[in-house]
Amino acid sequence: MELRGIQQAGVEILANHYKPEVIICKTPSEVDAYVANRLAQQIQTRPDSVLTLPTGNTPTGMYEHLVTLVKSGQLDLSRVTIFNLDEYHPIDPSHKGSYAAYMRRHLIDQVPTSAWYIPNGQAEDPQGEAARFKALLDAHQPVDLAILGIGPGDTCHIGFNEKGSSIDTTVRYMPLDPQTKATNSQLFEDPSEIPEGTLTQGIADILQAKEIIVIAKGSSKAWGVNRALKGPVGAEAPASFLRLHPHVTFVLDEEAAGYLQ
Ligand code: F6R
């Protein structure tokens, strides 16, 4: 797979770029069904697929569809390997707000899968944990399909690659951007318990996937989606790097597509 773009004096210069496919669904639940069906097709074509999966508000409906497909006998995830994009740090994996707990609730404890990897949010040495997770991911690359969300407001993050993340970043500790922290703290029963940082796949890790789908729903994503698809490619808007990958689809509801002409 050819990634396009060159680096010069620390500045990413766009040599040429691809045009992601954009699918606009009428409602958020149509987005969930569409992405779940794309995932199901991938797994039916290759039952031992390796996937990168997101957490957060956006994909919960997609997971519900997937679980329903499995429980009704239409889909089998038992040979699938799952990598999560990220985890908070520091956090106990049994904490309700952790992404490990999220994944168990929405997928892992619901249906059989072959293997599931997520960074250890309570690792004492976050750099060592990042290296361990990266080695596991590298041993399974290229991921067949990566599903991503996109950051709220003007963060334009993918994974927790916040502004300033360059194209060559790999798994690492990242402090949370204040805007992301304010938004995500609402998902914690006690918002003050949100950790200061995350362990996240980097841009270079994400771009190694054979295919990438970005899901965005709601008006809080409209600016970021437009910036990613139409603005200059570079670290100021990390999701814009997706335009250097040949097989990317944005699946949006009408609100998230609201700024696209
Ligand atoms: C989460 C992740 C993040 C989220 C993004 C959107 O695993 O990687 O990039 O996808 O922050 O979050 P929601 O879906 O809660 O709006």
Side-chain angles (χ1 to χ4, degrees):
M1 177 175 47
E2 187 204 358
L3 292 178
R4 295 184 177 175
I6 50 172
Q7 279 214 323
Q8 213 172 56
V11 179
E12 282 95 19
I13 307 215
L14 185 61
N16 202 343
H17 61 260
Y18 299 97
K19 207 161 178 266
E21 183 184 6
V22 177
I23 308 276
I24 301 174
C25 300
K26 281 212 164 8
T27 63
S29 53
E30 280 180 31
V31 171
D32 301 335
Y34 180 89
V35 179
N37 287 333
R38 285 276 294 254
L39 247 176
Q41 275 165 22
Q42 166 65 39
I43 295 158
Q44 275 147 3
T45 308
R46 190 173 166 200
D48 60 348
S49 288
V50 180
L51 307 173
T52 278
L53 294 179
T55 54
N57 268 328
T58 311
T60 54
M62 173 194 83
Y63 288 124
E64 267 173 44
H65 277 277
L66 270 187
V67 167
T68 303
L69 287 173
V70 175
K71 290 191 171 166
S72 63
Q74 297 172 74
L75 185 66
D76 178 11
L77 300 186
S78 66
R79 292 175 60 199
V80 163
T81 296
I82 294 167
F83 281 87
N84 268 95
L85 273 167
D86 39 35
E87 174 61 289
Y88 291 113
H89 189 280
I91 199 163
D92 183 325
S94 65
H95 189 293
K96 211 177 156 203
S98 75
Y99 285 160
Y102 173 104
M103 285 304 288
R104 277 193 222 98
R105 248 186 343 265
H106 291 284
L107 189 70
I108 304 298
D109 287 351
Q110 303 272 348
V111 295
T113 51
S114 169
W116 168 51
Y117 304 105
I118 186 164
N120 175 6
Q122 62 184 0
E124 279 177 25
D125 167 17
Q127 276 171 8
E129 174 58 12
R132 185 195 72 87
F133 186 76
K134 172 146 174 62
L136 276 169
L137 180 61
D138 284 349
H140 289 81
Q141 290 277 24
V143 161
D144 292 294
L145 176 60
I147 311 272
L148 318 176
I150 186 168
D154 68 1
T155 58
C156 218
H157 69 224
I158 48 175
F160 281 113
N161 296 283
E162 303 283 12
K163 277 182 208 171
S165 300
S166 60
I167 192 168
D168 56 0
T169 47
T170 58
V171 184
R172 69 205 183 289
Y173 174 83
M174 277 292 287
L176 274 175
D177 171 279
Q179 210 181 141
T180 306
K181 196 172 169 192
T183 308
N184 288 20
S185 64
Q186 292 159 20
L187 299 176
F188 281 71
E189 267 169 16
D190 175 355
S192 71
E193 285 185 2
I194 188 164
E196 290 300 319
T198 64
L199 288 162
T200 182
Q201 291 193 29
I203 305 281
D205 303 308
I206 293 170
L207 291 180
Q208 278 192 58
K210 291 182 196 161
E211 186 184 353
I212 299 173
I213 295 178
V214 183
I215 331 172
K217 302 190 285 194
S219 57
S220 72
K221 303 298 172 69
W223 190 93
V225 165
N226 187 57
R227 175 65 185 80
L229 289 170
K230 302 285 169 76
V233 171
E236 271 312 292
S240 66
F241 285 123
L242 295 169
R243 281 160 46 214
L244 304 180
H245 189 289
H247 302 295
V248 177
T249 307
F250 278 66
V251 185
L252 313 170
D253 68 1
E254 287 187 341
E255 285 188 355
Y259 286 10
L260 297 174
Q261 288 130 8

